[in-house]
Amino acid sequence: MAMRFWQSLVLLQVLFLGSIYVSVSEKLQSSQVDTLLRIQGHLNFPSVLSNWNRKTLFCNLDPTPSVTAVCYGNNLTQLHIIGNEGSPKLPHNFSIDSLVVTLAGLPSLKVLTLVSLGLWGTLPAKIALLSSIEMLNISSNYFYGGIPKEMSSLENLQGIILDDNMFSGRIPDIFGSFPALNILSLRNNSLDGSLPGSLSKSSGVRVLALANNQFYGEVPDLRGLKDLEELDLENNSLGPDYPLLENKLVILILRKNRFRSGIPAEISSYYQLEKLDVSLNKFMGPFPLSLLSLPSINYLNIAGNKFTGFLSRNLSCNDALSFVDLSSNLLMGDLPDCLDTDIRHQIIRYEGNCLNTQDPSQHPYSFCRNEALAAGIVPLGKKQGLPRKAILALGIVGGVLVVFVLVALIFFLVRQVQAKTKKLDSQKPRVITEKSSTGYTSNPRYTSKLLTDARYITQTMKLGAVGVPAYRTFSLEELEVATNNFGTTAFMGEGAHGQMYRGQLSDGSLVAIRCLKLKESYTTEYFMPHIELISKLRHRHLVSAIGHCFEHYLDNSSVSRVFLVFEYVPNGTLRSWISAGRARRKLSWSQRVAASTGIAKGIEFLHTGIMPGIFSNNIRITDVLMDQNFAAKISSYNLPLLAENTGQVAHGRSTRSREFHSRVEHEDKMDVYDFGVILLEILVGRPVKTRSELNASRNQVQASLAADDTARRSIVAEEIGSTCSDQSLKTMMEICVRCLTKDVSERPSIEDVLWNLQFAAQVQDAWQGGELLSRSASVSPPRLPRLRLTYQ
């Protein structure tokens, strides 16, 4: 139970990392102080709140795992109170109605966590009074009765976590009312009935957790949940058909329900799937062998079903697989070598099948065959007996077919010789449609350990990828149609990493296509680890790949060209929106701070979102594109496939100068330096193209930090000088100067850069809203525990 608490807290932090407000006032409004003290009384003065009194500076309380209060201005915006696990019910005089009415006295409250506090009763209709709430977590209490329909009036809700209570009855059909809903978690209650169809209308939902309830019937069509990454339906009575889902899932748990029939072939396109548990159902039919080699899979449990099929020793598995349970099915053949626990540190279970092992827990072959036939399934690879006449007829037909095949083979060989001769004359590669888009295996001769280890992306970072289509394999014909046969009108330019084309797919979406002409011949197998890595680099501040295509030579099937298909970002480069002399509207100060923050988040993801991180990305301001919402996206980063094709070295090895080669121990700080150059151009509003221009502008910015407000505003772009708060401007300048420090070890980490950028955005927002005191422009940032950028 405690683990679920922490999981919920992590989800909260993920969703609100960008929106946590820092207190800019040392004192909360007195009316809200009174409200907090009344809440303390409603909760029967729990030990975790023992230090609360009228003199407490709530906005300045150090956050703890039990209590956190976050303010913005003079208002409380977040309140987290977590009691001891298994806390008993509050006394009989407790009133949840009174508590909700009291909470309504916090008009700016956006995040409310009341966990393990002994709360009880039916959740009242008065919950609608909490109109500003965006995240509600009241798990591990003693609430009972139904979920009130009045919750539908809380239109700002992004997260609803009601785990580990005693809620009962049906889920109200209200979930089309929450346009921003990201998380719905109702685990471990007594809810029943069929699932409401409105679940499919919450298109932004990423986590849907309904485990350990009493739901039954068909799962509604969930293909409308385009961003769904976790679906947990464990221990209900749902079924019988496999649910209709999108293929972006990371975690899929259907354990202990009433699903039957087979698993659809589409599951082989779940490129991001890490955990699949369909155990203890009534699934039957062939076991999809491709599940073992999905590019992200690390946990697979199909135990307690009636899956059939023949396993073989040479089957491929994802190296990341740590848990596989195939037990109690109707599988035959040999256990794959890749599931040998003597070689790999894995938990493998396969008892109760008909496999050729010395394990006494295996049934004889006849058991699986007879069970499969009784269920109406013909075991894969075996045929039932045929009458003698039928065998004779088949023999005659077979003889005719043999003659036909011989003739066709001779004709084919002649054509092959002609085609090979023609190819040697022209050396133009022809496409062979790729068939094995899901069986990602790696050859140890070609695959570096860095790429093998790069299968892990944190769940936190995955939740940052928004609106990017699922990764897939394209055919060359699709790309030719999209680009008018790679015509001149589609050509965008050429660089060290190949030619770029603009294209429009059959569904109308625009894409950017990079064409790589290879310097050496490799098989498709060689590229699969690269493709696996590329498919995982998903973040809202990166231009993400949505697919690939291989073109092959006909004679030996080696790859002649690789096409990488990226999302198309329509709004031009960041430089075009900030440089002087442009006719179009330039970015405001707030938009520039937001763009800087987006670039920093993209760099942070490249460094920490994948293991090992991707460094030395050589990011320039012209590599930063602006989407239709003016969000910044990094379009060029250090993909190993691109680096190897140009003879460079990827993953933490600079391709630029000796200065950086000598500083590999600070490889993350190289990207911090590049970020400083971009930030400098954002500040001064003009291109910084040479080393002398960079040094001169940096020295100007550094000198202005010791000067007054007027001096600082005089050196920034004219269009922003009067529209930014001095504190926000000064913070940005400090970040810029420290990023450009010559001593690599003195540069800040990207996490510290990001923290201070968020502060610059917050003080700017408050300044624009008139919520800071007139003297606040000269006040240092309050309570910055990680601030390392203060200019001396």
Side-chain angles (χ1 to χ4, degrees):
M1 188 179 293
M3 182 61 69
R4 293 193 180 95
F5 299 164
W6 293 115
Q7 289 174 342
S8 299
L9 288 176
V10 169
L11 291 171
L12 285 169
Q13 292 168 355
V14 170
L15 281 175
F16 291 92
L17 184 62
S19 61
I20 289 179
Y21 300 118
V22 178
S23 171
V24 292
S25 171
E26 294 184 356
K27 191 172 182 180
L28 192 63
Q29 291 182 15
S30 59
S31 62
Q32 297 187 32
V33 172
D34 293 338
T35 297
L36 289 174
L37 295 178
R38 286 197 295 273
I39 291 171
Q40 182 188 31
H42 284 306
L43 300 179
N44 199 31
F45 301 95
S47 58
V48 295
L49 304 182
S50 59
N51 61 340
W52 280 16
N53 56 58
R54 193 166 296 279
K55 294 182 180 180
T56 301
L57 298 177
F58 289 97
C59 293
N60 295 323
L61 286 176
D62 290 330
T64 70
S66 299
V67 181
T68 300
V70 179
C71 302
Y72 182 58
N74 302 108
N75 294 304
L76 190 75
T77 58
Q78 296 192 36
L79 178 62
H80 305 265
I81 307 174
I82 301 175
N84 298 320
E85 184 176 354
S87 295
K89 285 185 180 180
L90 291 173
H92 68 278
N93 60 349
F94 169 74
S95 170
I96 185 60
D97 287 62
S98 299
L99 177 59
V100 170
V101 171
T102 302
L103 286 167
L106 302 172
S108 299
L109 188 64
K110 296 182 181 296
V111 182
L112 177 62
T113 301
L114 300 174
V115 173
S116 293
L117 294 171
L119 307 180
W120 59 272
T122 58
L123 200 60
K126 293 177 181 177
I127 194 74
L129 295 175
L130 307 182
S131 57
S132 61
I133 285 291
E134 295 178 3
M135 172 65 73
L136 177 65
N137 182 359
I138 55 172
S139 57
S140 299
N141 286 292
Y142 299 93
F143 289 107
Y144 53 82
I147 299 173
K149 294 181 179 180
E150 288 76 9
M151 286 188 71
S152 61
S153 63
L154 304 179
E155 297 179 354
N156 297 320
L157 272 177
Q158 298 180 31
I160 304 172
I161 303 175
L162 310 180
D163 297 347
D164 298 294
N165 281 283
M166 297 182 291
F167 286 107
S168 59
R170 293 174 176 263
I171 299 179
D173 201 13
I174 61 174
F175 290 99
S177 305
F178 306 115
L181 190 64
N182 280 275
I183 298 174
L184 176 61
S185 188
L186 308 176
R187 291 184 175 101
N188 304 319
N189 283 282
S190 298
L191 296 163
D192 58 22
S194 57
L195 300 181
S198 60
L199 284 176
S200 61
K201 298 179 182 178
S202 302
S203 57
V205 167
R206 296 179 181 276
V207 177
L208 180 58
L210 307 176
N212 299 308
N213 283 282
Q214 299 167 24
F215 298 118
Y216 57 81
E218 293 281 6
V219 178
D221 188 342
L222 299 181
R223 287 175 295 184
L225 308 186
K226 300 295 184 181
D227 298 319
L228 185 63
E229 295 186 348
E230 179 177 346
L231 178 62
D232 185 358
L233 303 179
E234 179 179 355
N235 195 20
N236 286 284
S237 298
L238 296 166
D241 293 332
Y242 183 89
L244 298 172
L245 305 167
E246 286 291 327
N247 62 359
K248 289 185 179 180
L249 284 161
V250 176
I251 298 174
L252 175 57
I253 303 176
L254 305 179
R255 173 183 171 85
K256 205 172 182 182
N257 278 279
R258 296 182 179 177
F259 295 107
R260 60 174 184 264
S261 69
I263 292 181
E266 290 78 12
I267 200 168
S268 62
S269 67
Y270 289 15
Y271 289 102
Q272 301 181 63
L273 189 63
E274 295 180 359
K275 179 175 182 178
L276 176 65
D277 189 342
V278 297
S279 60
L280 302 178
N281 281 282
K282 297 180 180 179
F283 284 112
M284 59 182 66
F287 166 55
L289 301 178
S290 60
L291 290 177
L292 293 168
S293 57
L294 286 176
S296 301
I297 196 75
N298 58 58
Y299 182 105
L300 176 63
N301 189 349
I302 65 167
N305 288 286
K306 290 188 176 182
F307 286 112
T308 63
F310 276 81
L311 307 183
S312 62
R313 291 187 177 278
N314 60 357
L315 278 177
S316 298
C317 301
N318 189 322
D319 289 342
L321 269 175
S322 60
F323 181 94
V324 179
D325 192 346
L326 309 177
S327 57
S328 300
N329 280 284
L330 304 175
L331 301 174
M332 295 179 277
D334 298 312
L335 188 69
D337 290 338
C338 61
L339 298 181
D340 188 344
T341 54
D342 293 333
I343 300 175
R344 306 173 187 275
H345 296 291
Q346 299 170 314
I347 298 175
I348 308 296
R349 296 172 183 164
Y350 50 87
E351 63 272 10
N353 286 285
C354 300
L355 298 172
N356 297 325
T357 69
Q358 301 302 319
D359 190 340
S361 67
Q362 297 298 310
H363 298 293
Y365 163 77
S366 58
F367 174 86
C368 291
R369 183 175 183 277
N370 294 337
E371 285 285 312
L373 291 174
I377 310 166
V378 178
L380 195 64
K382 296 293 180 183
K383 300 176 183 178
Q384 301 180 54
L386 294 173
R388 294 180 61 185
K389 291 184 178 180
I391 294 174
L392 179 61
L394 286 175
I396 295 173
V397 173
V400 175
L401 287 176
V402 168
V403 174
F404 176 79
V405 169
L406 288 174
V407 173
L409 182 60
I410 294 171
F411 177 77
F412 176 76
L413 290 174
V414 172
R415 293 294 302 272
Q416 282 284 83
V417 172
Q418 293 174 343
K420 185 172 183 179
T421 304
K422 184 177 181 181
K423 177 188 174 300
L424 291 174
D425 292 336
S426 64
Q427 284 297 313
K428 291 183 179 180
R430 293 176 58 191
V431 68
I432 299 176
T433 303
E434 183 188 353
K435 300 293 185 184
S436 56
S437 63
T438 62
Y440 287 179
T441 58
S442 58
N443 187 324
R445 294 179 301 170
Y446 301 126
T447 308
S448 70
K449 184 177 185 300
L450 291 174
L451 286 174
T452 302
D453 290 345
R455 287 185 167 91
Y456 170 74
I457 292 184
T458 64
Q459 182 68 6
T460 298
M461 294 304 181
K462 285 188 176 187
L463 289 174
V466 177
V468 181
Y471 192 92
R472 70 182 181 92
T473 301
F474 289 86
S475 68
L476 183 59
E477 288 78 8
E478 283 182 276
L479 302 187
E480 287 175 339
V481 171
T483 59
N484 194 20
N485 289 320
F486 296 97
T488 55
T489 56
F491 185 68
M492 297 171 63
E494 184 170 7
H497 297 319
Q499 299 171 324
M500 288 295 294
Y501 294 87
R502 182 189 295 106
Q504 185 171 19
L505 302 179
S506 58
D507 63 1
S509 58
L510 296 176
V511 293
I513 303 169
R514 186 186 298 276
C515 173
L516 302 175
K517 294 182 179 179
L518 303 178
K519 295 183 177 181
E520 299 183 38
S521 296
Y522 296 110
T523 64
T524 301
E525 183 183 30
Y526 166 79
F527 290 102
M528 285 307 149
H530 290 280
I531 295 302
E532 179 184 331
L533 171 63
I534 291 170
S535 71
K536 289 183 174 182
L537 288 173
R538 297 297 184 94
H539 192 273
R540 64 174 303 188
H541 294 295
L542 296 183
V543 178
S544 302
I546 63 173
H548 71 278
C549 171
F550 294 138
E551 187 181 41
H552 302 257
Y553 287 108
L554 185 61
D555 59 341
N556 59 8
S557 297
S558 63
V559 178
S560 60
R561 288 192 296 178
V562 177
F563 298 89
L564 297 179
V565 184
F566 293 87
E567 59 176 319
Y568 182 77
V569 183
N571 233 349
T573 67
L574 174 59
R575 173 176 280 175
S576 69
W577 286 95
I578 63 174
S579 295
R582 296 302 301 257
R584 67 167 138 184
R585 174 175 60 86
K586 298 180 178 66
L587 297 183
S588 67
W589 176 251
S590 294
Q591 288 174 317
R592 295 181 191 221
V593 176
S596 304
T597 304
I599 300 168
K601 287 181 178 179
I603 294 173
E604 183 188 39
F605 175 77
L606 291 171
H607 288 185
T608 64
I610 187 165
M611 300 295 291
I614 297 179
F615 303 98
S616 304
N617 291 285
N618 198 16
I619 301 168
R620 299 291 180 253
I621 194 168
T622 50
D623 297 325
V624 179
L625 306 180
M626 306 298 289
D627 70 7
Q628 63 274 16
N629 299 316
F630 290 97
K633 287 178 173 281
I634 301 172
S635 66
S636 180
Y637 37 90
N638 194 10
L639 289 177
L641 175 59
L642 303 181
E644 290 187 14
N645 189 51
T646 55
Q648 300 170 352
V649 182
H651 277 274
R653 296 296 181 264
S654 173
T655 59
R656 288 174 284 168
S657 68
R658 293 180 180 178
E659 173 191 358
F660 292 128
H661 275 293
S662 65
R663 299 288 186 176
V664 293
E665 69 272 20
H666 298 293
E667 55 191 358
D668 58 319
K669 302 299 180 68
M670 301 172 192
D671 290 328
V672 170
Y673 182 90
D674 289 340
F675 176 78
V677 177
I678 295 173
L679 192 54
L680 183 64
E681 188 163 324
I682 290 175
L683 287 168
V684 301
R686 63 178 181 275
V688 179
K689 297 181 178 180
T690 66
R691 176 70 68 175
S692 60
E693 288 179 355
L694 188 153
N695 290 334
S697 297
R698 179 194 179 278
N699 292 338
Q700 265 191 313
V701 171
Q702 184 171 2
S704 72
L705 286 171
D708 58 13
D709 179 4
T710 304
R712 280 189 286 275
R713 295 180 189 275
S714 67
I715 67 171
V716 299
E718 180 180 356
E719 61 271 12
I720 61 174
S722 61
T723 61
C724 58
S725 79
D726 184 52
Q727 183 61 69
S728 179
L729 177 60
K730 189 174 181 181
T731 302
M732 294 279 280
M733 287 180 163
E734 289 174 345
I735 298 170
C736 177
V737 170
R738 290 299 302 275
C739 289
L740 295 175
T741 301
K742 291 184 179 180
D743 187 344
V744 180
S745 63
E746 290 297 317
R747 295 173 194 162
S749 68
I750 194 63
E751 291 82 8
D752 286 338
V753 168
L754 184 56
W755 199 98
N756 287 275
L757 287 171
Q758 291 170 334
F759 172 78
Q762 291 163 7
V763 295
Q764 176 65 19
D765 289 345
W767 182 81
Q768 286 179 325
E771 296 184 29
L772 288 177
L773 299 175
S774 59
R775 59 184 173 85
S776 66
S778 60
V779 177
S780 297
R783 298 185 61 76
L784 302 181
R786 298 186 62 191
L787 183 64
R788 304 178 186 172
L789 303 176
T790 303
Y791 173 72
Q792 301 294 334

